[in-house]
Amino acid sequence: MVKEIKKSGKKYFECIECNFVYKNKKIAEECEGYCKKHHSCNTEITKYSIQV
Ligand SMILES: [Zn+2]
């Protein structure tokens, strides 16, 4: 399960495997699925990560 982060009234989703944060829950879930399976990140997914 991705971790939900609340900051300044906005919601973000963190991949608990690699700690990248996304605005979009679906992308965070995709990242987590990939990370768990491959034990590394997919740059096609992590390019959507954001700084919080
Ligand atoms: Zn990840």
Side-chain angles (χ1 to χ4, degrees), residues 34-47:
Y34 190 95
C35 289
K36 273 186 181 159
K37 204 171 168 186
H38 301 275
H39 299 287
S40 69
C41 291
N42 184 342
T43 51
E44 287 299 307
I45 299 172
T46 56
K47 70 182 179 188

Side-chain angles (χ1 to χ4, degrees), residues 3-43:
K3 193 168 125 192
E4 202 175 290
I5 300 169
K6 280 186 188 136
K7 204 174 177 185
S8 316
K10 286 178 182 171
K11 273 191 202 170
Y12 301 100
F13 302 93
E14 182 182 343
C15 170
I16 54 161
E17 295 289 317
C18 68
N19 302 116
F20 275 109
V21 177
Y22 302 90
K23 273 187 204 168
N24 187 314
K25 190 179 183 184
K26 226 180 152 190
I27 295 173
E29 282 171 346
E30 246 175 70
C31 183
E32 197 179 78
Y34 190 95
C35 289
K36 273 186 181 159
K37 204 171 168 186
H38 301 275
H39 299 287
S40 69
C41 291
N42 184 342
T43 51

